[in-house]
Amino acid sequence: MIAYKIADIGFGFETDVSAESEYFGAFRIDEKDFDYLKDRHLFKFPDYDIPFTEFDRKTFDGADYSEYSFKDGFVKVTDRFDGEKYRCFCFRQSGYSGGEIFFTENGRKVKRTSAELFRITDLFSSLMFYNALLFHGAVVELCGKAFVFSGRSGIGKSTQAEL
């Protein structure tokens, strides 16, 4: 299992992929540390594929993703990478902390190990379950409001926040 911790919340991924993504290295924790966390969410990458035709009614239709009711839970489907070419499917059962994630390319299921693109998006995809987003930035609080400076490394986000 690969495990990450963000703000005392653990995200574990049952996977055979051992490659570490440079983007999430700072959040990586030991499997034992994950087990001790009170708030933890475990994600799997299923071998099966579920076509759109098996989804129940659409409960949300947004610019970035759609949500459907499915069996005793829901599925979020996103075109977050490249329109119709890449999709991410996130399944979650009611009362279960975590879920199942798989990716498709041009409508066909893709093995996670086939591209670095999919390895670095596991955490981003799992955060969809919680309507959360992780991004690289510096934050400053002013008059009860948070201001975020985001961008690539080395452009001065922290310097700007300090100023």
Side-chain angles (χ1 to χ4, degrees), residues 79-149:
D79 301 324
R80 66 187 313 143
F81 308 118
D82 184 17
E84 293 294 314
K85 185 174 182 184
Y86 298 108
R87 278 197 163 136
C88 174
F89 294 74
C90 299
F91 297 96
R92 186 168 180 193
Q93 292 179 324
S94 298
Y96 177 74
S97 181
E100 296 181 332
I101 301 170
F102 75 81
F103 301 94
T104 60
E105 181 178 9
N106 293 324
R108 293 192 184 104
K109 186 160 184 242
V110 179
K111 291 184 183 238
R112 297 179 58 250
T113 55
S114 66
E116 177 66 14
L117 169 67
F118 301 115
R119 286 198 293 271
I120 66 174
T121 56
D122 292 343
L123 189 54
F124 282 117
S125 301
S126 62
L127 289 173
M128 283 179 43
F129 285 119
Y130 310 101
N131 295 322
L133 175 66
L134 177 69
F135 62 93
H136 182 79
V139 179
V140 63
E141 184 268 334
L142 181 64
C143 300
K145 294 186 179 185
F147 296 88
V148 180
F149 300 95

Side-chain angles (χ1 to χ4, degrees), residues 136-139 148-163:
H136 182 79
V139 179
V148 180
F149 300 95
S150 65
R152 67 181 189 280
S153 296
I155 64 168
K157 295 178 299 298
S158 298
T159 302
Q160 192 67 27
E162 283 182 34
L163 292 173

Side-chain angles (χ1 to χ4, degrees), residues 63-82:
D64 297 327
Y65 73 92
S66 299
E67 186 173 307
Y68 300 82
S69 60
F70 181 70
K71 296 186 179 178
D72 65 339
F74 65 86
V75 59
K76 287 187 178 184
V77 181
T78 179
D79 301 324
R80 66 187 313 143
F81 308 118
D82 184 17

Side-chain angles (χ1 to χ4, degrees), residues 11-31:
F11 296 90
F13 299 93
E14 285 189 358
T15 176
D16 57 356
V17 177
S18 59
E20 179 62 64
S21 167
E22 63 179 279
Y23 299 101
F24 302 138
F27 303 106
R28 180 87 182 258
I29 60 173
D30 187 83
E31 201 170 320

